Amino acid sequence: MNYIAGIDIGNSSTEVGIIRHDQESKRFVASSLFRTTGLKGTTENVPGIVRALERGAENAGIAVDDLDLLLLNEAAPVIGDVAMETITETIITESTMIGHDPSTPGGIGIGTGTIVDITESQRAHSKDEDIIFRVPNEVDFADAAAIINEWVAQGFDIQGAILQKDDAVLVSNRCEIEIPIVDEVTEIDEVPLGQPAAIEVAASGQTIDTLSNPYGIATLFELSAEETQKIIPVARALVGNKSGVVIKTPEGDVEERSIPAGSLTVIGEDGSKSTVDTEDGAHVIRETVRNRRPLEDVTGESGTNIGGMLNRARTEMSEITNQDPDSIQIRDILAVDTIVPQAVKGAVAGEYRMENAVALASMVKTNRLPMEQIAGELTEELAVDVHIQGIEASMAVLGSLTTPGTDFPIAILDIGGGSTDAAYMNERKEIESIHLAGAGDLVTMLIDSELGLEDRKTAEEIKKHPAAKVETLFSIRHEDGTVDFLETAVDPELFGKVVLLQDDDGMEPIDTDHSLEEIRATRREAKEKVFVTNSKRALRQITPSLNIRHLPFVVMVGRSALDFEIPEMISNTLAEYGIVCGSGNIRKEQGPRNAVATGLVLSHIDGNSFLDFELPDELSTSITETVATDE
């Protein structure tokens, strides 16, 4: 009786499948999983492999020493990286019309008037004048409210107030009239006195609709058509906000302009080249890459984020393989359009607005990862024979064919953190595979930037878990609008917050002002941009006819197939092409996990009963074959 273990080293996890065989039977007896230690395809993986084997052996009721043979996959030599370039910026020159969005306004409604310092004398102003007070730090909230009440009592028309401190609600609660009040204008001295301004505060649960509308601003300030065109960036910056203030000054301009973001040079294997400016957008970049495929290399303009990303990927791969960085080639890039919050240059209140940006993922590939070194260290540490059995994608196809209801021709999708892998087995059992740039890491970056989190860990959690709103201590509202009533009260600190629903039924609050709907929309849009786009791109390239409609079966495997919404997104998209697509169920019991590890073992024992066909010779080795145990 012998035990053979197949080992799949992934980017984030290492999987093991163990089979027991003798002359009469062959049967899988255990599977296990442990996080991958170190960068995939390096000797740093050995501790993680050992722990996965120990777990597998324990599940099988044997010791690691009882294993007779370890089968390693020829790990796909791929490294992915991501970067982003902002391609537009908003600049306020001299003085001009500005917009500001405080998060804690006071009062309600819209007011227009001339900006007056709250410490000025009433004698300097006419009662026919509409007034908006500018309130610096030196004026206490109680004094500000008292002054407003006094001016109103004297017959002045006070339309609103702009506060430097975060006191809008405190002032509003002490005023005898209800006026819109905005606060947290840090550079209050830059707010020009004597100039017309408009303040708007929406009712609870609503957003402003006048200052976020160019024609609304034009109506308030009697702007010409030319002037209305110039305030479009201001209106756009205030869309979706619950309050805003716009100040009109006589000179200057607000402009949204494109900024140099560097260029990419795409080189095809036939020697043809195309140079594309990043500021042209993701669509143009993707089109350029498609026209030059298959790629020989991609280079980025030095001094830009994109150029730095490509050089970083080359350096990382060269360190792993001990190759010259100049010999490392970028074999694929994926570009997607996104938006990122950027400070408005020249703004007086620290305004931010969402600027256009292009995010790119790159992939470096080489044929010289040190799998032999990994095998050598495993043999030395465990005293067990180790064999490098087969290419990762081919093994994944074999493992996927143990999913009930599948047959070949068949394609698989394995979306990881850094790359999207696909493989296709045709009617002659020939397998083609492809690795494309762009996967989970790019999605995490998009969520992080578009929500302005500046926290990759939180963005990663948002990607992995559904969200909900804690509406009362005993109820939460899910993303689809349904409400769950809880048997026990939640932590009072979660009241009113958006939380992530963890796998263990825990709730993790998200430290952001974004609503549940905004978080859901951002997460799903990021996944659509990367996962769905890349799935179609990969399947099209591995299909012999380059037509996805000719694929009968597509099986999703790996960690991404366990995501709570990725399989549904991809299945819905491929359903339009009449393709049977879904998450794998390896060996009828593993779900989408363990495809490569299972394929490794099957390829070594000629398939057994798990496959209803004989394996191609190039994918199969005999159990009696001499096993490689050393360098």
Side-chain angles (χ1 to χ4, degrees):
M1 182 178 298
N2 289 320
Y3 291 93
I4 299 176
I7 303 168
D8 172 27
I9 307 169
N11 287 306
S12 59
S13 61
T14 297
E15 297 178 351
V16 168
I18 299 177
I19 196 168
R20 181 178 63 200
H21 75 93
D22 51 34
Q23 292 183 340
E24 298 179 353
S25 67
K26 304 178 181 68
R27 186 168 65 91
F28 278 92
V29 293
S31 301
S32 63
L33 174 75
F34 194 76
R35 64 176 174 81
T36 296
T37 51
L39 185 65
K40 174 182 177 178
T42 67
T43 54
E44 295 174 345
N45 302 154
V46 172
I49 295 173
V50 173
R51 286 292 297 127
L53 286 171
E54 290 173 346
R55 287 187 176 183
E58 182 180 351
N59 294 339
I62 61 175
V64 174
D65 294 345
D66 295 328
L67 293 170
D68 299 284
L69 178 63
L70 306 181
L71 302 174
L72 281 177
N73 64 305
E74 190 175 312
V78 170
I79 288 179
D81 201 356
V82 293
M84 184 177 294
E85 285 281 10
T86 305
I87 59 176
T88 64
E89 66 179 353
T90 299
I91 296 178
I92 295 176
T93 58
E94 301 175 7
S95 59
T96 185
M97 187 172 291
I98 63 169
H100 178 59
D101 167 40
S103 58
T104 54
I108 189 173
I110 185 166
T112 59
T114 302
I115 299 174
V116 173
D117 192 282
I118 197 167
T119 60
E120 289 186 26
S121 168
Q122 292 181 2
R123 291 193 293 272
H125 297 277
S126 165
K127 294 183 180 179
D128 296 330
E129 184 181 9
D130 294 334
I131 292 173
I132 290 178
F133 277 133
R134 187 183 78 173
V135 185
N137 265 341
E138 295 75 20
V139 180
D140 181 74
F141 64 88
D143 294 337
I147 294 172
I148 292 173
N149 291 333
E150 180 184 346
W151 280 59
V152 171
Q154 295 300 319
F156 288 93
D157 188 359
I158 308 303
Q159 289 280 311
I162 304 171
L163 278 58
Q164 186 171 18
K165 295 169 68 175
D166 184 16
D167 289 342
V169 175
L170 296 174
V171 173
S172 179
N173 290 340
R174 288 161 176 77
C175 285
E176 296 175 358
I177 59 171
E178 187 163 62
I179 56 174
I181 302 174
V182 298
D183 57 11
E184 298 181 80
V185 179
T186 53
E187 302 294 335
I188 195 77
D189 293 337
E190 300 295 330
V191 174
L193 297 174
Q195 297 302 319
I199 298 176
E200 183 177 9
V201 174
S204 299
Q206 299 183 22
T207 58
I208 59 175
D209 55 13
T210 300
L211 297 185
S212 59
N213 177 3
Y215 299 119
I217 298 175
T219 303
L220 293 174
F221 294 109
E222 299 179 349
L223 302 181
S224 66
E226 182 181 357
E227 290 171 325
T228 302
Q229 288 182 323
K230 293 182 178 179
I231 51 87
I232 289 175
V234 175
R236 285 178 54 192
L238 296 175
V239 170
N241 296 329
K242 55 187 176 184
S243 64
V245 54
V246 173
I247 304 168
K248 186 178 186 303
T249 50
E251 295 179 348
D253 194 8
V254 175
E255 60 177 294
E256 182 184 81
R257 68 176 191 179
S258 297
I259 57 176
S263 61
L264 292 168
T265 299
V266 183
I267 306 168
E269 285 188 351
D270 59 359
S272 60
K273 293 183 180 179
S274 292
T275 299
V276 56
D277 287 332
T278 308
E279 63 185 274
D280 289 341
H283 175 74
V284 176
I285 296 173
R286 290 200 299 268
E287 190 70 25
T288 302
V289 171
R290 182 161 55 240
N291 292 337
R292 289 289 168 265
R293 192 168 291 285
L295 300 186
E296 178 69 20
D297 200 3
V298 181
T299 59
E301 185 176 339
S302 61
T304 66
N305 288 339
I306 304 302
M309 175 191 70
L310 299 183
N311 290 334
R312 190 167 58 246
R314 292 180 208 276
T315 302
E316 189 174 5
M317 183 62 90
S318 71
E319 291 174 350
I320 294 171
T321 60
N322 293 321
Q323 289 180 263
D324 185 343
D326 293 337
S327 67
I328 305 294
Q329 297 167 322
I330 306 296
R331 304 310 296 267
D332 186 52
I333 56 173
L334 172 67
V336 296
D337 291 317
T338 183
I339 52 175
V340 293
Q342 294 284 311
V344 176
K345 291 185 178 179
V348 299
E351 290 93 341
Y352 279 75
R353 66 154 300 171
M354 302 303 288
E355 301 287 1
N356 297 312
V358 172
L360 275 92
S362 67
M363 188 203 68
V364 177
K365 184 179 179 183
T366 180
N367 295 321
R368 291 181 53 187
L369 277 182
M371 297 306 297
E372 293 86 358
Q373 297 177 23
I374 297 175
E377 289 201 10
L378 278 176
T379 301
E380 183 176 346
E381 182 165 345
L382 301 177
V384 179
D385 295 333
V386 181
H387 189 184
I388 299 174
Q389 176 69 11
I391 298 173
E392 183 176 22
S394 300
M395 300 301 104
V397 171
L398 295 183
S400 298
L401 283 168
T402 64
T403 295
T406 59
D407 199 354
F408 62 96
I410 186 174
I412 64 151
L413 274 174
D414 185 357
I415 306 174
S419 67
T420 297
D421 303 335
Y424 174 73
M425 173 183 274
N426 63 19
E427 295 86 346
R428 299 182 296 279
K429 303 171 190 174
E430 298 165 339
I431 298 178
E432 295 287 339
S433 62
I434 190 171
H435 309 282
L436 297 181
D441 293 343
L442 182 58
V443 172
T444 301
M445 185 178 76
L446 292 176
I447 293 172
D448 186 30
S449 61
E450 294 187 8
L451 292 178
L453 300 173
E454 297 183 354
D455 182 351
R456 285 290 183 95
K457 183 178 179 181
T458 298
E460 178 74 13
E461 293 300 304
I462 290 174
K463 180 183 72 175
K464 292 162 55 179
H465 301 288
K469 176 74 177 292
V470 179
E471 297 196 318
T472 72
L473 293 180
F474 287 92
S475 68
I476 60 173
R477 178 168 55 88
H478 292 277
E479 293 180 357
D480 62 357
T482 59
V483 176
D484 261 357
F485 294 94
L486 310 174
E487 293 184 358
T488 57
V490 301
D491 186 335
E493 293 186 358
L494 299 180
F495 176 74
K497 293 187 176 180
V498 177
V499 297
L500 296 175
L501 303 177
Q502 308 283 7
D503 296 336
D504 59 359
D505 295 332
M507 297 182 190
E508 184 67 28
I510 307 174
D511 186 19
T512 175
D513 292 331
H514 293 285
S515 67
L516 174 64
E517 290 74 18
E518 290 172 328
I519 292 171
R520 177 181 185 272
T522 301
R523 184 194 70 225
R524 288 184 63 86
E525 187 176 348
K527 289 182 176 180
E528 289 273 357
K529 286 178 181 176
V530 178
F531 292 138
V532 175
T533 299
N534 242 5
S535 297
K536 293 167 66 176
R537 202 164 66 108
L539 293 175
R540 185 178 295 113
Q541 292 183 37
I542 61 169
T543 306
S545 62
L546 300 180
N547 188 339
I548 295 179
R549 294 182 185 279
H550 295 162
L551 290 172
F553 299 98
V554 174
V555 178
M556 289 176 278
V557 298
R559 184 176 177 181
S560 62
L562 293 169
D563 186 89
F564 69 98
E565 58 189 355
I566 294 174
E568 175 190 338
M569 286 181 173
I570 296 176
S571 296
N572 288 341
T573 300
L574 296 184
E576 300 173 8
Y577 302 96
I579 299 172
V580 180
C581 176
S583 299
N585 187 15
I586 310 303
R587 290 186 268 131
K588 305 179 184 178
E589 61 181 19
Q590 295 293 312
R593 292 280 198 189
N594 215 260
V596 175
T598 297
L600 282 167
V601 177
L602 292 180
S603 67
H604 202 77
I605 61 170
D606 298 335
N608 193 26
S609 58
F610 292 98
L611 298 176
D612 59 1
F613 62 88
E614 293 184 358
L615 293 175
D617 292 339
E618 63 272 22
L619 296 178
S620 174
T621 59
S622 167
I623 197 72
T624 59
E625 178 181 324
T626 300
V627 175
T629 59
D630 50 21
E631 300 291 330

